Amino acid sequence: IKLQIWNNLQIKATNICSGIKTPNELSKKNLAIVMEWINIVCGSLFDKLSKQECLEMVCGSEYHEVADGEPLFFQGDTGKHYWIVLTGEIIITVLHSNIKAKRKSIVYKRRRSWVPSKNKISNQEYDPNDLGETVFRAGPGVGFGQIALISKNPIRSGSCIATKNNTALLGVPTNMYKK
């Protein structure tokens, strides 16, 4: 029964968030549902925050949904968010050369392999592993991307690719993360 309640809450919250840029756009009722969902998913990440601080952080963050194979960012990009996986899964891949990573990311963007096409047999025309070795895999409740935010050089040290459709993430901007 608990699993069914959780699934219903997750479906309700993702439907509420679908199509919004920030949770701040929601009504109080819908925001309360989304906050309940996020608090369950991210429980340990928010342990040190008061309810008010958590609400402010979530309202100041961005909601993103990405498809299987769709990149969130590439190695060498400037880091602007701390990311928290709400549903789905992502991988972080790393190439040993930032120059090679930049070239590969340009090709990946150009091919837009995550966009469904009638002419493709599968959505994975361009393998995310071409962007390097998978060094990290994250599912719901896991945060990542802090290295670019806390280091003197705000450059992403790896590429982030979704591995499941409808992967939902909360992007906490640098200024909110540093509070």
Side-chain angles (χ1 to χ4, degrees), residues 40-106:
I40 292 170
V41 172
C42 305
S44 63
L45 286 176
F46 298 157
D47 279 349
K48 295 180 180 176
L49 299 177
S50 69
K51 282 188 177 187
Q52 184 60 36
E53 289 171 328
C54 186
L55 180 65
E56 287 173 12
M57 186 193 64
V58 169
C59 286
S61 298
E62 297 175 9
Y63 180 82
H64 290 268
E65 281 188 10
V66 289
D68 182 12
E70 185 174 350
L72 190 59
F73 57 77
F74 291 101
Q75 184 174 339
D77 288 352
T78 301
K80 297 177 183 170
H81 294 87
Y82 173 72
W83 295 98
I84 301 170
V85 181
L86 300 174
T87 64
E89 183 182 73
I90 61 90
I91 58 170
I92 302 289
T93 61
V94 175
L95 281 169
H96 297 291
S97 162
N98 275 339
I99 294 169
K100 191 174 182 180
K102 276 289 197 197
R103 286 188 195 133
K104 294 260 187 185
S105 68
I106 290 168

Side-chain angles (χ1 to χ4, degrees), residues 10 12-13 20 26-27 35 42 44-45 68 92 100 109 113 127-129 132 134-135 137 151-152 155 162 164 167-168:
Q10 181 175 326
K12 194 175 204 177
I20 66 162
L26 300 173
S27 68
M35 287 302 299
C42 305
S44 63
L45 286 176
D68 182 12
I92 302 289
K100 191 174 182 180
K109 288 175 192 174
S113 63
D127 187 358
N129 291 323
T134 299
V135 295
R137 187 174 296 273
S151 67
K152 291 180 182 178
I155 302 300
K164 292 186 179 179
T167 295

